[in-house]
Amino acid sequence: MKTNIANYVAPKYHPLSKRKFFKKLETSFLHANFFEKNIGDFLKRLKTDQFPKDQKILINLSNISKQFSVYKSKPNVLFENINIKIKRGDIISLVGANGVGKSTLLDILVDYLRPNTGEVIYDLEYHWSPTERIGISYQKNILLSSLSVWDYISFTHRLYKSTTTMDDLVIFCYAFGIEKFIKMRVSKLSGGQQQRLNAMLSLFHNPEIVLFDELCNNLDVSIKQKIISFIKNYFRIKNITAIIISHDVYEIKNVANRIIVIKDKKIANDVKVKTLLSHSAKGIEHLIAESV
């Protein structure tokens, strides 16, 4: 996996206090519409920070192929000769039928898996590995499932030496609806709750690139709208690059600016969302239906 090596200085770490956090969270429950009143201030503070505004290519996937060996049978080829250039600020919806290799492609991007052919080239600032600058959220994570949600958050915060402050953590919890189950054990969470928790934690280390394996799949409409609204504004202000496996039309319309379809072991479509919407109100629906 080729990389563009650069020096990276990590931002200042903000330690958390459980007692102070729960006191702040409990105080927030006393105020009606707490999140709505404070999210505006949070986003305004973000705008005062300096984030890269360029549109340089951060990731270049060149001739990527992946196959898995099958006992006494021909190898199972998921995809071959995948070529994608991903620019800073791209929000890509990765679409395709089950089994075409969408999650495998994310694994290759974060170096969990090696491609059989091809290379991934990053242009990122990092200390040891470019994957330090990537946040990833899978649908389900059984690691550390015996911990409470708070302990899991605290552990991840320390692991990443996160710059997320106490005030900002309260905003994150409300944005993803975590405040309602923060004292539960991770093992007791529903699939949707784990999904939201993993998505929130993937943002803790200030990533330049975020990978979501289904962001809002099977979520209630109200929490889905809340998360998408937050993600849309947060990503836009910080100019974050994202790849989201999703077939949710509402999510794609409101977050993504580009759709990539994997079909028949190759990239079948790579089109801007704006282009689809300008041609037909149901352009996205048709593209998704054809891809699956």
Side-chain angles (χ1 to χ4, degrees), residues 164-199:
T164 304
T165 64
M166 198 83 70
D167 290 340
D168 290 350
L169 179 55
V170 173
I171 293 294
F172 273 119
C173 285
Y174 271 94
F176 289 90
I178 308 297
E179 82 284 358
K180 297 176 181 177
F181 53 83
I182 198 163
K183 295 183 179 180
M184 291 174 59
R185 289 193 178 278
V186 174
S187 59
K188 299 297 183 182
L189 300 183
S190 67
Q193 289 171 332
Q194 283 199 24
Q195 202 169 308
R196 284 144 56 189
L197 175 61
N198 292 332

Side-chain angles (χ1 to χ4, degrees), residues 266-278:
K266 63 183 181 180
I267 301 293
N269 292 93
D270 186 347
V271 61
K272 292 184 178 180
V273 171
K274 191 180 293 186
T275 302
L276 287 174
L277 292 176
S278 65

Side-chain angles (χ1 to χ4, degrees), residues 6-277:
N7 294 321
Y8 171 66
V9 179
K12 186 178 179 181
Y13 169 57
H14 290 276
L16 296 178
S17 163
K18 181 176 181 180
R19 182 180 60 82
K20 290 181 180 179
F21 173 77
F22 274 98
K23 183 177 181 180
K24 189 176 289 291
L25 191 66
E26 288 165 5
T27 301
S28 69
F29 282 125
L30 302 177
H31 300 279
N33 302 317
F34 170 86
F35 176 70
E36 289 76 10
K37 290 178 181 178
N38 286 273
I39 184 62
D41 292 337
F42 171 78
L43 295 174
K44 284 179 182 177
R45 290 200 308 274
L46 276 185
K47 289 178 181 178
T48 63
D49 294 335
Q50 297 297 316
F51 301 110
K53 301 299 182 184
D54 62 83
Q55 290 187 311
K56 73 175 183 179
I57 295 172
L58 296 184
I59 306 177
N60 184 7
L61 288 85
S62 178
N63 297 317
I64 299 293
S65 299
K66 186 61 184 176
Q67 65 183 37
F68 293 96
S69 298
V70 180
Y71 182 66
K72 290 186 178 180
S73 182
K74 292 182 178 180
N76 175 28
V77 179
L78 279 181
F79 45 73
E80 49 193 357
N81 300 321
I82 298 292
N83 293 279
I84 307 173
K85 295 184 186 297
I86 303 170
K87 297 186 297 184
R88 190 191 306 277
D90 272 346
I91 310 293
I92 297 171
S93 177
L94 191 59
V95 176
N98 290 336
V100 299
K102 302 185 297 296
S103 296
T104 299
L105 192 59
L106 295 193
D107 286 341
I108 290 172
L109 279 169
V110 290
D111 207 20
Y112 289 169
L113 287 176
R114 295 284 179 148
N116 292 93
T117 64
E119 60 186 1
V120 180
I121 303 171
Y122 290 107
D123 188 358
L124 298 168
E125 293 184 354
Y126 60 91
H127 219 3
W128 304 107
S129 165
T131 55
E132 296 166 17
R133 308 300 300 131
I134 300 175
I136 186 164
S137 170
Y138 290 107
Q139 288 190 63
K140 192 171 183 180
N141 189 349
I142 60 173
L143 294 176
L144 306 177
S145 60
S146 62
L147 298 180
S148 70
V149 172
W150 161 257
D151 288 333
Y152 198 4
I153 290 172
S154 180
F155 171 81
T156 305
H157 192 275
R158 291 197 307 273
L159 180 68
Y160 287 148
K161 298 190 182 300
S162 178
T163 60
T164 304
T165 64
M166 198 83 70
D167 290 340
D168 290 350
L169 179 55
V170 173
I171 293 294
F172 273 119
C173 285
Y174 271 94
F176 289 90
I178 308 297
E179 82 284 358
K180 297 176 181 177
F181 53 83
I182 198 163
K183 295 183 179 180
M184 291 174 59
R185 289 193 178 278
V186 174
S187 59
K188 299 297 183 182
L189 300 183
S190 67
Q193 289 171 332
Q194 283 199 24
Q195 202 169 308
R196 284 144 56 189
L197 175 61
N198 292 332
M200 184 186 80
L201 296 179
S202 71
L203 304 178
F204 267 24
H205 63 299
N206 195 34
E208 286 189 69
I209 300 167
V210 176
L211 310 177
F212 286 145
D213 190 350
E214 301 284 3
L215 175 60
C216 293
N217 188 37
N218 298 323
L219 297 185
D220 293 339
V221 173
S222 58
I223 189 64
K224 178 193 296 186
Q225 291 175 340
K226 191 176 181 181
I227 291 173
I228 288 175
S229 175
F230 177 79
I231 286 292
K232 180 180 179 180
N233 287 297
Y234 186 77
F235 283 13
R236 177 177 54 81
I237 292 171
K238 299 190 71 172
N239 206 21
I240 286 176
T241 304
I243 302 175
I244 306 172
I245 295 176
S246 176
H247 299 92
D248 189 293
V249 175
Y250 178 83
E251 183 180 319
I252 295 171
K253 281 183 177 179
N254 285 278
V255 178
N257 58 20
R258 183 177 167 191
I259 300 176
I260 293 178
V261 178
I262 300 178
K263 188 176 182 180
D264 298 327
K265 304 176 184 179
K266 63 183 181 180
I267 301 293
N269 292 93
D270 186 347
V271 61
K272 292 184 178 180
V273 171
K274 191 180 293 186
T275 302
L276 287 174
L277 292 176

